[in-house]
Amino acid sequence: MVSVRWAFNWANWHPTEKEFMRLMSYIQVDEKERLGKFVFRKDVKASLIGRLMIRKFVSEYACVPYNEVVFTRDDHNKPIYENANKSLAFNVSHQGNFTVLAGETRNVKLGTDVMKLEYTGGKRLSEFFRLMDKNFSSIEWAEIKGGASESAQIAMFCRHWALKESYVKALGVGIVIDLRKIEFRTISKLSEDNVVTDTSLYLNNVKQNWIFEESLLNSEHCVAVATENSNLVDSSKTLLFGELTVEKLVENAIPLIEEDPEYCSQYFAKSERP
């Protein structure tokens, strides 16, 4: 049983036209069309990296030639790969400056979420918290609002949101359930050089048999991984997210489609961000 944790800082990645065309040739036509609908380059980059991470993971750990890996999507529009000979679980997330992938070589419910520790909503923080009140329990709000500064409160808010997102993504249901019933109780502080696994999940005050891996990617980003059946996981062997380079990301890639100069031109004509 192998666990994989990858991260890519796409905000620091500024591909040349040649490099962008080459990487776009490593994904399926339907994925290419989906990426072409994004308005901003940042969203194209973040999603492209996610698609390439998934393909790298499946190719390497299912031992399938890169260009023979085929993805479909489930009822929640989540990419899936089905192979009766190999049990794999994977999930990706992108937010802030990073795209991350969590993968397991076993059939398990798995979800991950990355959050930048910032608030850019424009309203006063107290007003934002009031509007978000229904998404957290009273115990969670006590943790969030217990921070000594606004930045500490924002960081704890983002940590709790990443935990909830990782869990509902593992369930495959999306944010459509009553989030107040999903209660997290944290103990340890997050750091860049350690994985925290002592956060607990309670549903209707009953502790659940899940494990949550948490760490900081850097001083501005937290990441959470949710895995069912914590008794199957040795928390002493949890992994920090390893940051990939472009070269490492596509080291065994094989083109699936032809390079497309017109598509490339359309990408570089987009604004980087709003």
Side-chain angles (χ1 to χ4, degrees), residues 116-131:
K116 190 170 186 180
L117 307 178
E118 66 176 1
Y119 170 61
T120 58
K123 296 181 175 65
R124 290 173 58 90
L125 188 62
S126 59
E127 175 64 8
F128 173 67
F129 283 171
R130 185 187 70 79
L131 294 172

Side-chain angles (χ1 to χ4, degrees), residues 246-265:
V246 173
E247 293 74 22
K248 189 69 175 177
L249 180 64
V250 296
E251 62 183 350
N252 297 314
I254 300 172
L256 280 72
I257 55 179
E258 293 184 358
E259 294 186 2
D260 188 340
E262 182 179 353
Y263 187 97
C264 180
S265 296

Side-chain angles (χ1 to χ4, degrees), residues 11-270:
N12 290 341
W13 176 51
H14 305 287
T16 63
E17 291 187 11
K18 182 178 180 181
E19 183 179 41
F20 179 78
M21 279 198 296
R22 178 169 61 90
L23 266 62
M24 286 300 304
S25 73
Y26 297 147
I27 63 175
Q28 297 170 191
V29 171
D30 61 311
E31 295 174 321
K32 173 185 171 183
E33 292 173 349
R34 186 180 296 271
L35 296 187
K37 296 177 181 179
F38 286 117
V39 175
F40 301 106
R41 279 187 301 198
K42 71 178 185 66
D43 299 313
V44 178
K45 290 196 294 182
S47 296
L48 171 60
I49 295 302
R51 303 282 75 73
L52 293 171
M53 280 182 165
I54 293 173
R55 186 167 293 276
K56 173 183 173 69
F57 172 72
V58 170
S59 177
E60 292 183 5
Y61 291 95
C63 300
V64 177
Y66 192 92
N67 57 337
E68 295 181 15
V69 176
V70 177
F71 294 108
T72 57
R73 289 182 178 267
D74 63 14
D75 294 338
H76 299 284
N77 208 28
K78 178 182 176 181
I80 56 174
Y81 172 75
E82 297 180 359
N83 186 315
N85 299 319
K86 188 69 175 181
S87 293
L88 295 176
F90 58 84
N91 193 234
V92 296
S93 174
H94 56 82
Q95 203 271 336
N97 298 348
F98 283 89
T99 296
V100 299
L101 174 141
E104 298 285 337
T105 58
R106 59 190 174 110
N107 187 14
V108 66
K109 290 180 180 177
L110 176 73
T112 188
D113 195 66
V114 59
M115 286 287 292
K116 190 170 186 180
L117 307 178
E118 66 176 1
Y119 170 61
T120 58
K123 296 181 175 65
R124 290 173 58 90
L125 188 62
S126 59
E127 175 64 8
F128 173 67
F129 283 171
R130 185 187 70 79
L131 294 172
M132 296 296 290
D133 180 71
K134 64 181 180 180
N135 295 310
F136 298 94
S137 71
S138 58
I139 290 177
E140 290 173 322
W141 276 121
E143 287 192 15
I144 293 169
K145 295 179 180 179
S149 64
E150 281 201 351
S151 61
Q153 292 178 24
I154 292 167
M156 185 58 80
F157 174 91
C158 293
R159 178 180 179 179
H160 273 278
W161 191 260
L163 285 164
K164 295 201 182 222
E165 281 275 11
S166 69
Y167 175 64
V168 297
K169 288 175 71 178
L171 294 180
V173 297
I175 302 289
V176 294
I177 53 181
D178 187 349
L179 295 182
R180 284 174 296 187
K181 294 181 179 179
I182 306 171
E183 182 178 276
F184 288 93
R185 302 178 188 178
T186 69
I187 297 174
S188 300
K189 293 183 178 180
L190 301 187
S191 69
E192 296 179 48
D193 56 4
N194 183 51
V195 179
V196 169
T197 59
D198 55 9
T199 292
S200 299
L201 167 65
Y202 288 79
L203 298 182
N204 298 317
N205 288 320
V206 178
K207 188 176 181 180
Q208 303 298 301
N209 191 28
W210 283 68
I211 191 166
F212 295 88
E213 304 168 39
E214 300 177 87
S215 61
L216 296 177
L217 294 178
N218 60 19
S219 62
E220 297 181 325
H221 295 79
C222 70
V223 63
V225 179
T227 313
E228 69 171 343
N229 296 332
S230 60
N231 58 303
L232 298 178
V233 178
D234 183 349
S235 61
S236 68
K237 296 181 180 179
T238 51
L239 297 174
L240 287 167
F241 277 76
E243 192 165 340
L244 297 178
T245 62
V246 173
E247 293 74 22
K248 189 69 175 177
L249 180 64
V250 296
E251 62 183 350
N252 297 314
I254 300 172
L256 280 72
I257 55 179
E258 293 184 358
E259 294 186 2
D260 188 340
E262 182 179 353
Y263 187 97
C264 180
S265 296
Q266 292 171 353
Y267 165 78
F268 280 98
K270 299 176 189 283

